[in-house]
Amino acid sequence: MRKTYLIITSLLASFAANAAPNPEMILVCYPGGAVNAKDANAAMSSMLRVVERVGQWQLNSFNSFFTSKADECKKQMADKHPKFAITSLGLYLELRSQHNLVPVVQPKIKGQTSERYRVMVQKDKYQNLDQLKTKTLGGTVLEEQSFISKIVLAGKYDLAGFALKPSNQPIRALRSLDKGELDAVILNEQQFNGLASLQMSTPLVPIFTSEEIPLMGVVANSTTTTPEERLRFGQALEGMCADSEGKKLCDLFGVEAFTTVDAAVFEPMVKLWTNGK
């Protein structure tokens, strides 16, 4: 999801035409990501400048704070109370009530606004997750273990039954799987789609595929933003990929469009989260 997070950040348009003297901080949370904060914030700064020009907002109306650590994201959310943020679905589900979060937009990638997660193993080595219990399971998404247990595995499997090996680099985890150093790796949709470009000595196959899970994009604090601000925000994002300069950014990061989204889309996930183990 690294590309998705960066492009969404680049499209964060101001909800006020006249920016305050101090830039509004956009919190960007990418749990488990390999990108470092310095590089991420530099890229986001360049992208935000394009947005400010295209949207005719004052220069430097926004800055960003990036973290790949879930705990740091929670701290920043509590300390800074950002009006808008980019979060993972897991963080949205965990923090939505405490910080009054509502979804604003979703990215559309390859015609989809949802994704599936897959557990990959060497072909013919394991047939299902029951056989994988007590074995090593790697992947970047293991930074959010509650999300994997409650949403991806739908509460049917306890991650405590596996030997977890979190990683911040999916390719490294897959290489370890190929060498037999790991028994399995869990991938999100984007990581799975990139698998075909890697040369592996052993065929890798999925032994588990999740149900469709909605992509999370930008969220807003419903108590510090008005419905009008959120509407304008969403409409601006929806128009970005149709803009000549904005389209270049969208094409670069593989995002076809941004669509406004009703919170009801995430209600099945909220139910799973609430009822999860």
Side-chain angles (χ1 to χ4, degrees):
M1 294 295 292
R2 172 184 177 182
K3 292 182 178 180
T4 302
Y5 275 75
L6 293 180
I7 186 62
I8 296 175
T9 306
S10 78
L11 304 180
L12 286 170
S14 174
F15 47 83
N18 298 314
N22 296 321
E24 186 73 41
M25 185 193 82
I26 306 301
L27 178 61
V28 183
C29 304
Y30 177 34
V35 63
N36 67 62
K38 182 178 179 181
D39 291 344
N41 281 320
M44 293 170 189
S45 177
S46 297
M47 295 175 186
L48 285 169
R49 301 296 79 82
V50 173
V51 172
E52 290 163 352
R53 177 181 57 77
V54 172
Q56 299 182 355
W57 295 295
Q58 184 176 329
L59 183 66
N60 296 320
S61 294
F62 292 94
N63 61 21
S64 62
F65 181 93
F66 173 90
T67 178
S68 61
K69 299 297 183 182
D71 287 344
E72 178 64 21
C73 180
K74 297 172 193 177
K75 183 179 185 300
Q76 289 293 321
M77 191 74 75
D79 292 347
K80 303 297 184 181
H81 307 288
K83 294 182 176 180
F84 290 93
I86 298 169
T87 72
S88 65
L89 177 57
L91 284 168
Y92 163 71
L93 292 170
E94 182 176 353
L95 302 176
R96 72 191 189 287
S97 297
Q98 182 181 357
H99 296 287
N100 305 293
L101 301 181
V102 293
V104 178
V105 295
Q106 289 181 289
K108 180 180 288 186
I109 301 175
K110 294 187 176 181
Q112 302 294 320
T113 56
S114 62
E115 64 176 339
R116 296 180 187 270
Y117 287 69
R118 295 167 176 85
V119 175
M120 308 297 296
V121 299
Q122 291 185 3
K123 187 177 180 180
D124 297 327
K125 191 168 185 180
Y126 302 101
Q127 304 301 316
N128 52 56
L129 290 183
D130 289 320
Q131 294 179 4
L132 197 64
K133 287 180 179 179
T134 75
K135 307 300 183 180
T136 54
L137 174 63
T140 64
V141 298
L142 293 175
E143 171 74 12
E144 295 186 276
Q145 294 179 19
S146 292
F147 170 73
I148 298 301
S149 291
K150 295 180 179 181
I151 303 301
V152 176
L153 301 179
K156 297 176 181 178
Y157 294 91
D158 186 353
L159 281 183
F162 305 93
L164 302 181
K165 302 293 182 181
S167 170
N168 63 359
Q169 296 186 4
I171 293 177
R172 180 177 296 175
L174 287 166
R175 295 294 187 198
S176 295
L177 174 59
D178 188 43
K179 296 175 183 177
E181 298 169 350
L182 288 174
D183 294 300
V185 171
I186 183 169
L187 303 176
N188 61 30
E189 189 84 28
Q190 190 174 49
Q191 294 166 349
F192 176 76
N193 288 338
L195 185 59
S197 65
L198 301 178
Q199 293 185 345
M200 298 292 181
S201 60
T202 305
L204 303 182
V205 297
I207 59 168
F208 169 85
T209 301
S210 74
E211 298 295 328
E212 289 193 0
I213 297 172
L215 291 169
M216 178 51 70
V218 177
V219 300
N221 185 317
S222 62
T223 62
T224 58
T225 60
T226 66
E228 291 77 18
E229 288 169 346
R230 296 192 295 274
L231 177 62
R232 181 184 178 190
F233 191 96
Q235 289 175 337
L237 292 173
E238 281 187 298
M240 282 304 300
C241 291
D243 175 86
S244 58
E245 291 298 318
K247 188 177 186 304
K248 294 177 183 178
L249 292 171
C250 292
D251 290 345
L252 178 63
F253 293 101
V255 175
E256 297 171 8
F258 291 90
T259 62
T260 54
V261 60
D262 191 286
V265 170
F266 296 95
E267 280 307 309
M269 302 298 104
V270 171
K271 184 176 180 181
L272 276 177
W273 184 270
T274 303
N275 296 336
K277 298 178 181 178

